[in-house]
Amino acid sequence: MSSRSERRGSQFRDRAVGLGAALLIGLNLRPAITSVAALLEPTRAAFDLAPVQLNLLATLPVIAFGVSAPIGPLLARRIGVTRALIWAMVALAGALTLRVVVPGGMLPGTFLAGVSIMAAGTLLPQYLKSLRAGGLWIGLSSMSFSAGAALGAGLTVPLSRATGGPAVALGLWAVPALIAAGAMVAVAMRTDAPSPSSSRMTLPRSARSTVALITAMFGLQAMLFFAVASWLPRILGDRGVDAQTAGWLLALTSIAGLVPTLIAPILARRRRVLRLFGPGLGIVMLAAFIWLASGDESYIAITVVLGAVQSATFGLSLALIVMLAANEASAGLLSAVAQGVGYAFAGAGSLLVGVLHDLTAGWTASLVFMIVCAAALAVVVGFVIRCRPVDLQVPAEVPALPRT
């Protein structure tokens, strides 16, 4: 009896350590992006970036997301999810150091940071599935993304002023990445080494529509999130808002999203609520972009609404990836496809927002584009919530016994 309770206590501690490490990983998956967004102009001046390079810098992480989606699942198959997450965090810390220490390293370092974030981001749903995480823990994990985004946007400008420039302020975000890597090392030390995967992954015809819908949903919400994260400070700056206030307003979008991103995965478990809640998020987002385009100067209210609904949509997307995967391996592939293709669209769409601004010398065309995407998101989510779980794993064939 005593040994059974000790075993249960050990399993509980291992699971708690694993889930806590997942939260630390999530905290590191947005500051590399929002910290630069809050310091776009100072970064341009400090690192002598051309206007084209500045536009590229704002969207390069998302572009990296789209081209590096297979890395996470491939690493997981070879060394296991836990160890893959360790290496992703180590690579992220190295990338954040590279871009401010090595001359000319800003763009390559930002791209490598995007690759590292993508690897960790695609692995998290698979990792949470392996821990049998429920709606609360999926919500906490998605909330950690918002918390990290808020910290990156809100602290980087004061850090830049305190340290005399953006270089140190941007480079300091390597420290939390190393802390997360250390937490995952602790997880690896408490668990057995992964056994090689004996199954292969496939995309059966019956699952293609579900995967396509989830990918479209993830891509639309990601594009709108990164468009706001990349360009909101500039939109506000062009309307006369000073850089520090614009940075805090960007941080406010993430702070406002903390509770919604926690609640959304919990509500995702309630089918009747989800039928209205899911598409409703896209509708509210559409209204928020119309409000921003109207020229109304109620920036605090606008950013609160945008932050709340965008974070809730991300939390819902993460929850639906986990829920609509029939098993752990399927969660990894579904996450890689949805996030890989989705982020490729998000990177192109976010870059298009900047290009439309440059071509029209204003933000109206860019905001109209975001309004249309929000309307499409509402429609797509309505279809996704009607999908059934998909199994993308095909067990390896067992070799026949030799005849005697």
Side-chain angles (χ1 to χ4, degrees):
M1 190 73 175
S2 176
S3 62
R4 182 181 299 178
S5 62
E6 288 178 1
R7 186 166 59 253
R8 286 180 179 175
S10 176
Q11 290 173 347
F12 175 80
R13 288 191 295 272
D14 289 349
R15 190 163 180 264
V17 171
L19 290 169
L23 301 187
L24 289 175
I25 296 288
L27 280 172
N28 281 278
L29 301 187
R30 291 295 180 265
I33 301 167
T34 57
S35 59
V36 170
L39 287 175
L40 269 182
E41 287 303 323
T43 299
R44 180 197 61 76
F47 294 93
D48 194 25
L49 300 177
V52 173
Q53 291 176 307
L54 189 65
N55 281 343
L56 188 58
L57 177 64
T59 55
L60 195 57
V62 194
I63 295 172
F65 292 173
V67 300
S68 60
I71 291 177
L74 287 175
L75 280 175
R77 285 176 62 83
R78 289 185 175 274
I79 62 176
V81 178
T82 302
R83 287 161 177 77
L85 285 169
I86 293 172
W87 284 111
M89 288 297 99
V90 171
L92 177 59
L96 296 179
T97 303
L98 165 68
R99 69 180 185 178
V100 297
V101 171
V102 178
M106 177 56 67
L107 293 180
T110 298
F111 182 83
L112 179 57
V115 172
S116 306
I117 292 169
M118 183 62 188
T122 56
L123 290 171
L124 266 183
Q126 183 175 353
Y127 181 67
L128 292 170
K129 191 82 173 180
S130 71
L131 294 174
R132 301 183 301 280
L136 175 61
W137 277 101
I138 295 173
L140 288 171
S141 179
S142 58
M143 186 173 72
S144 69
F145 285 53
S146 297
L151 291 172
L155 294 181
T156 304
V157 172
L159 282 172
S160 177
R161 292 180 176 177
T163 57
V168 175
L170 295 175
L172 282 174
W173 293 106
V175 176
L178 290 176
I179 294 172
M184 292 305 301
V185 169
V187 173
M189 292 175 64
R190 300 176 71 98
T191 57
D192 296 330
S195 57
S197 174
S198 60
S199 62
R200 62 185 178 87
M201 306 306 294
T202 187
L203 189 59
R205 186 180 299 274
S206 59
R208 290 176 186 175
S209 61
T210 297
V211 174
L213 285 168
I214 294 174
T215 300
M217 175 191 67
F218 198 93
L220 286 165
Q221 68 82 24
M223 190 283 290
L224 291 168
F225 172 83
F226 286 110
V228 171
S230 299
W231 303 113
L232 182 62
R234 284 194 66 184
I235 293 173
L236 298 177
D238 288 351
R239 295 184 181 181
V241 178
D242 65 90
Q244 183 162 342
T245 301
W248 278 110
L249 285 170
L250 179 60
L252 184 60
T253 63
S254 299
I255 295 170
L258 290 176
V259 174
T261 196
L262 171 64
I263 293 174
I266 298 173
L267 294 178
R269 304 276 173 170
R270 302 175 181 273
R271 280 284 178 181
R272 291 183 180 178
V273 176
L274 187 58
R275 288 175 183 174
L276 293 176
F277 175 72
L281 292 175
I283 294 171
V284 176
M285 200 183 301
L286 179 152
F289 284 123
I290 292 175
W291 192 4
L292 180 61
S294 70
D296 192 319
E297 296 184 358
S298 305
Y299 297 133
I300 293 178
I302 293 172
T303 52
V304 166
V305 173
L306 268 177
V309 72
Q310 286 194 305
S311 294
T313 307
F314 172 74
L316 178 64
S317 299
L318 186 62
L320 288 173
I321 288 175
V322 175
M323 290 168 56
L324 292 175
N327 48 57
E328 178 185 341
S330 296
L333 181 59
L334 184 58
S335 176
V337 173
Q339 295 194 52
V341 178
Y343 279 131
F345 171 78
S350 183
L351 181 61
L352 179 59
V353 170
V355 170
L356 287 172
H357 167 264
D358 292 344
L359 290 175
T360 62
W363 292 105
T364 300
S366 301
L367 289 167
V368 168
F369 172 65
M370 288 189 274
I371 289 167
V372 171
C373 289
L377 177 62
V379 174
V380 170
V381 172
F383 284 106
V384 171
I385 61 180
R386 290 172 171 79
C387 294
R388 295 182 178 275
V390 292
D391 188 350
L392 308 178
Q393 181 176 241
V394 177
E397 294 183 3
V398 179
L401 293 175
R403 294 183 178 181
T404 58

